[in-house]
């Protein structure tokens, strides 16, 4: 297993997941609600920033690796899933939207794994649509974790609007990736349109 700065940042993102969860399970009185939300928001924002930074550094420092390419999306999906589950439990977002986003992530991860196994991973490489979806998701989750008014905006209302936008982009991007993979799926399964 290679170890370099981009992979270290990815591991930090994974280590942030239990910290995020623990913040919401501390005994009452240990951390006031607003402070808990602020720490969770900052932790999630830091994780979202390292998502961008580790990829940038891997390319800039020529430290890309197959292990890093595997670990990075796993870390992203884990922290998003953990945050969504917390937000559903806190009744800050809808379980349907969480199921759409988490279900899509599992589906596309499985599709990418299968496509890599058959040597067709380029067909389902990350697209601009996927990057826009991820940005909407990260921004929405940040607002929902924060919960307090922000610059005169109701962050819960704005966060919920954005999380539904992210869910729609999630479905759209899933359709896009399935469409790109369909020729390989049809060829190997005999399925047609």
């Amino acid at each position: 297993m290679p170890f370099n700065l981009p992979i270290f940042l990815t591991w930090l993102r994974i280590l942030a997941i239990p910290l995020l969860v623990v913040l919401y399970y501390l005994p009452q009185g240990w951390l006031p609600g607003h402070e808990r939300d602020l720490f969770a928001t900052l932790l999630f924002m830091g994780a979202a920033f390292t998502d961008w930074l580790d990829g940038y550094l891997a390319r800039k420092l020529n430290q890309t690796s197959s292990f890093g390419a595997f670990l990075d999306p796993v870390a992203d999906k884990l922290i998003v899933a953990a945050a969504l589950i917390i937000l559903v439990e806190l009744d800050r977002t809808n379980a349907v939207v969480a199921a759409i986003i988490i279900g899509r992530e599992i589906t596309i991860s499985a599709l990418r794994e299968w496509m890599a196994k058959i040597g067709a991973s380029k067909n389902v490489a990350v697209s601009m649509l996927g990057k826009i979806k991820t940005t909407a998701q990260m921004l929405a989750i940040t607002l929902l974790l924060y919960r307090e008014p922000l610059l005169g905006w109701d962050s819960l209302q704005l966060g919920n609007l954005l999380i539904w936008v992210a869910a729609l982009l999630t479905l759209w991007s899933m359709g896009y990736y399935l469409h790109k993979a369909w020729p390989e799926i049809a060829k190997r399964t005999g399925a047609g349109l």
Side-chain angles (χ1 to χ4, degrees), residues 116-192:
K117 191 179 283 186
I118 65 170
S121 59
K122 287 185 215 163
N123 295 19
V124 288
V126 175
S127 70
M128 183 54 70
L129 179 58
K131 291 179 181 187
I132 293 168
K133 179 264 317 170
T134 298
T135 301
Q137 249 177 219
M138 296 299 194
L139 185 55
I141 291 170
T142 299
L143 289 168
L144 292 168
L145 286 170
Y146 186 65
R147 184 180 67 162
E148 297 292 322
L150 184 65
L151 303 173
W153 292 84
D154 181 335
S155 61
L156 270 180
Q157 188 177 18
L158 184 56
N160 269 299
L161 174 65
L162 274 174
I163 202 72
W164 278 104
V165 168
L168 291 173
L169 290 170
T170 292
L171 292 172
W172 185 8
S173 69
M174 183 171 74
Y176 171 81
Y177 290 125
L178 288 170
H179 176 74
K180 297 292 260 175
W182 188 255
E184 291 297 331
I185 294 169
K187 182 167 55 173
R188 284 168 169 64
T189 64

Side-chain angles (χ1 to χ4, degrees), residues 21-161:
V21 173
V22 164
L23 279 171
Y24 286 97
Y25 287 94
L26 290 173
Q28 289 288 338
W30 279 29
L31 199 59
H34 173 70
E35 288 179 21
R36 178 194 63 192
D37 290 340
L38 179 60
F39 288 139
T41 302
L42 293 173
L43 186 63
F44 187 82
M45 287 172 61
F49 178 69
T50 65
D51 178 26
W52 170 82
L53 185 62
D54 62 15
Y56 171 78
L57 289 175
R59 290 183 297 278
K60 182 86 170 163
L61 302 173
N62 197 25
Q63 294 181 342
T64 58
S65 68
S66 57
F67 181 72
F70 157 76
L71 192 61
D72 180 64
V74 169
D76 300 343
K77 286 156 187 45
L78 287 174
I79 198 155
V80 165
L84 285 170
I85 291 167
I86 289 167
L87 289 169
V88 167
E89 185 171 321
L90 294 172
D91 199 28
R92 294 187 192 175
T93 197
N94 190 293
V96 171
V97 79
I100 288 169
I101 292 171
I102 294 170
R104 180 266 187 204
E105 299 301 344
I106 293 167
T107 302
I108 298 305
S109 292
L111 177 67
R112 284 193 171 124
E113 183 178 336
W114 181 72
M115 294 292 281
K117 191 179 283 186
I118 65 170
S121 59
K122 287 185 215 163
N123 295 19
V124 288
V126 175
S127 70
M128 183 54 70
L129 179 58
K131 291 179 181 187
I132 293 168
K133 179 264 317 170
T134 298
T135 301
Q137 249 177 219
M138 296 299 194
L139 185 55
I141 291 170
T142 299
L143 289 168
L144 292 168
L145 286 170
Y146 186 65
R147 184 180 67 162
E148 297 292 322
L150 184 65
L151 303 173
W153 292 84
D154 181 335
S155 61
L156 270 180
Q157 188 177 18
L158 184 56
N160 269 299
L161 174 65

